[in-house]
Amino acid sequence: MLPPVLLLLLLISGAQASFYGVVFNYAFGNLQPSGYAVPYDFKLSYNSCEEFNTQTCNGYCNVPTYSIDEIGGEWCQKGYTGTFYYPYLDTLDQSVSTSAWTENRNGIVSSKAVLQFDLRNRSDINEPNSSPRTTILPLVRVPSNCQRNINLLVSDPDGDDIRCRYAAGSECDICTPPSLLSLSSSCSLSFSPTNSSDEGPYAVQMVMEDFPRQNVTLTNSFGLQVMKTASDSISTMPVQFVFKVDPAAPSCTEGEYLPRFLPPTPQNGDQINTNVNQTVEIIVRAEATQADTMELLFSGPFGLTKSSSGSGNFTLTWTPSPSEAGLNHHLCFVVQANSSGSVYQSDLRCVIVTAGNSPVTASPPTTTTPPTTTTPPQPTTTPPQPSTTPPQPTTTPPQPSTTPPQPSTAPPQPSTTGPPSSSNPNSTPASESYYVLALSAKLSTSLLLKNESAIILNLIKEEMQRQGLPAGIIVELLGIGGVQIAP
């Protein structure tokens, strides 16, 4: 049976709708009594929040949703965040369809998204793969006479190389890409000025894939192995949104009609580190001298809120919970201006917020792969939910196509804390505890502990695992002068 989030999509109504895109990310967590924890974040966009509520599961969803952002009469983005439990280390390829795309110039009618999970154990990090991560607004727009680059900010928990391409073949119902957008493998989209005859919305159907930087052996729960090279993708995640070409602007100079960002607005690609339960405030400033009003539009994690202290002055606020520790959380925003009935957007800015134990800092812009996080999240408690705590999904986690048939009810509760010995040879039963009270080691590296602690900690963790410690160890900084290791 499919995991709750995928089953949910299959129940989406096929009635007339205005679909605006989807983004899906998953991570790998530790073994739990119900199976291997797989935290996920799933964002869906429609013409309105009411349409979202009506279309999804015919209005009767038992999976909690959260509102992200909306602009009345145009689009609404909502998300699902939670954890499903997978009984085996294996793969899952799932193709799901939602409803009809909003009207578009490239003739995309029915939506379709392909999700390729790979939860086999990796030889390089001694734990299963996590997907590349990103987010995007449901609608990105530009005047027909203005140049615009959309630099999608991506990251990967495993340090893989991330590449983007347009969906093709069975990955979409109709795969015609927007002729006006050029997509590079580094996940950058480029638009050049065009004629007024090309104005209108276009459906963008992309996929984001992670490629190992060296040969990696993947092993499933039954001992079957496969080699992945730097030319082989591991997982495939959908990134879909609407790109709209608006009528020509009187001027393409930023700061006149098109809003221009001002300090202290973070740069695209900035990485912000914070602590669990510590509130992060991101100040956004913009100006558009020929605009009447401006508003901030964003896509980001559960609980992210915005406020304004006047036109062009905004604050994004987020407080990560313990279940959100260790992962990169992507946050993208634009400032949108209105002038004489016309709408103009700034360029797209995206940053990464990571919850850990380091003080709040901001690093220079990153490339497609920011520093690797230390450990995957430990989803031992209920993931962040809306203001009340809804019931957890009771549907069965996914079953890989290569595994024997599983019962249609909830997954079996194993009597031990681990799977069969062949599933993870380096795992350690919960009854055995390891404590490192003192560690004497000499490290030689060109990395700076202050700025690149995540990379250093991950290297230490890998070495500890090679020395026989369990895969679930946690390595944390106590300060610039020391580290802490715990089971």
Side-chain angles (χ1 to χ4, degrees):
M1 185 178 286
L2 299 177
V5 65
L6 298 183
L7 180 62
L8 177 68
L9 268 181
L10 292 177
L11 294 177
I12 291 178
S13 170
Q16 289 291 329
S18 295
F19 183 68
Y20 270 72
V22 59
V23 180
F24 187 91
N25 303 306
Y26 80 86
F28 176 78
N30 285 348
L31 179 66
Q32 304 294 320
S34 297
Y36 293 94
V38 184
Y40 64 83
D41 182 70
F42 198 3
K43 296 179 177 69
L44 280 169
S45 304
Y46 286 87
N47 176 255
S48 68
C49 293
E50 291 74 21
E51 184 178 60
F52 179 99
N53 296 335
T54 301
Q55 294 296 327
T56 306
C57 304
N58 296 312
Y60 297 98
C61 294
N62 65 347
V63 177
T65 66
Y66 66 95
S67 296
I68 300 173
D69 201 6
E70 66 176 308
I71 180 165
E74 197 159 33
W75 56 260
C76 169
Q77 187 178 64
K78 284 191 170 184
Y80 307 91
T81 183
T83 301
F84 68 85
Y85 296 90
Y86 203 66
Y88 301 102
L89 297 178
D90 218 308
T91 61
L92 171 66
D93 295 348
Q94 183 61 47
S95 173
V96 294
S97 299
T98 58
S99 55
W101 271 92
T102 187
E103 183 179 353
N104 56 82
R105 295 292 306 273
N106 50 329
I108 310 302
V109 181
S110 299
S111 62
K112 182 178 180 181
V114 170
L115 298 86
Q116 296 182 349
F117 298 80
D118 197 319
L119 298 176
R120 292 174 294 189
N121 199 62
R122 297 176 52 144
S123 61
D124 55 343
I125 60 175
N126 197 32
E127 61 186 37
N129 188 67
S130 295
S131 77
R133 305 177 68 81
T134 192
T135 194
I136 188 69
L137 272 71
L139 178 64
V140 179
R141 57 200 310 164
V142 63
S144 60
N145 60 326
C146 299
Q147 170 73 32
R148 175 63 56 85
N149 291 325
I150 304 169
N151 298 312
L152 193 67
L153 183 61
V154 295
S155 68
D156 188 87
D158 310 315
D160 293 327
D161 181 29
I162 307 171
R163 303 173 200 171
C164 291
R165 58 176 174 81
Y166 283 123
S170 61
E171 296 172 331
C172 36
D173 183 47
I174 298 175
C175 295
T176 307
S179 58
L180 304 176
L181 279 176
S182 175
L183 173 61
S184 71
S185 61
S186 61
C187 304
S188 178
L189 293 137
S190 178
F191 170 80
S192 297
T194 188
N195 298 322
S196 59
S197 59
D198 294 324
E199 293 170 0
Y202 294 80
V204 179
Q205 302 175 108
M206 300 167 48
V207 295
M208 176 177 59
E209 299 175 304
D210 49 349
F211 293 77
R213 297 183 182 276
Q214 59 186 4
N215 290 352
V216 171
T217 299
L218 303 178
T219 307
N220 70 7
S221 288
F222 311 102
L224 299 177
Q225 295 184 332
V226 65
M227 174 74 74
K228 293 281 187 176
T229 71
S231 300
D232 301 318
S233 64
I234 300 179
S235 64
T236 300
M237 295 291 112
V239 181
Q240 300 179 357
F241 63 99
V242 175
F243 179 76
K244 188 174 184 181
V245 180
D246 287 324
S251 170
C252 293
T253 301
E254 289 189 341
E256 296 182 0
Y257 294 90
L258 278 63
R260 176 180 63 183
F261 287 115
L262 303 172
T265 306
Q267 297 296 315
N268 190 64
D270 277 0
Q271 181 156 349
I272 300 171
N273 297 317
T274 186
N275 296 325
V276 167
N277 296 323
Q278 178 177 341
T279 299
V280 173
E281 290 189 347
I282 299 174
I283 307 299
V284 178
R285 299 279 185 266
E287 67 174 4
T289 59
Q290 304 303 313
D292 301 322
T293 59
M294 290 191 292
E295 58 186 325
L296 180 70
L297 306 174
F298 70 89
S299 177
F302 169 79
L304 180 69
T305 61
K306 64 180 177 182
S307 60
S308 176
S309 57
S311 182
N313 296 278
F314 310 97
T315 302
L316 289 166
T317 304
W318 186 54
T319 305
S321 67
S323 63
E324 293 168 313
L327 281 176
N328 288 338
H329 298 273
H330 290 239
L331 188 167
C332 294
F333 56 89
V334 300
V335 171
Q336 184 163 291
N338 296 272
S339 178
S340 302
S342 297
V343 178
Y344 306 100
Q345 277 189 2
S346 68
D347 64 350
L348 181 72
R349 288 280 177 97
C350 298
V351 299
I352 294 174
V353 181
T354 304
N357 294 312
S358 57
V360 177
T361 58
S363 63
T366 61
T367 58
T368 57
T369 307
T372 307
T373 55
T374 56
T375 58
Q378 309 301 313
T380 56
T381 59
T382 303
Q385 306 295 337
S387 56
T388 59
T389 303
Q392 295 301 305
T394 57
T395 52
T396 307
Q399 307 302 321
S401 59
T402 58
T403 61
Q406 301 299 318
S408 58
T409 57
Q413 305 298 315
S415 56
T416 62
T417 59
S421 59
S422 61
S423 64
N424 190 346
N426 294 305
S427 64
T428 303
S431 59
E432 297 181 32
S433 298
Y434 290 80
Y435 297 90
V436 177
L437 301 179
L439 174 66
S440 177
K442 180 179 180 180
L443 302 177
S444 178
T445 177
S446 60
L447 300 174
L448 298 177
L449 183 60
K450 181 177 181 181
N451 299 326
E452 297 170 299
S453 59
I455 299 176
I456 295 174
L457 289 176
N458 195 57
L459 293 173
I460 294 174
K461 178 186 174 184
E462 292 176 4
E463 181 58 28
M464 294 299 97
Q465 293 172 359
R466 281 193 290 268
Q467 295 296 327
L469 288 181
I473 61 171
I474 301 173
V475 181
E476 297 178 341
L477 275 175
L478 293 177
I480 296 301
V483 297
Q484 178 186 36
I485 302 177

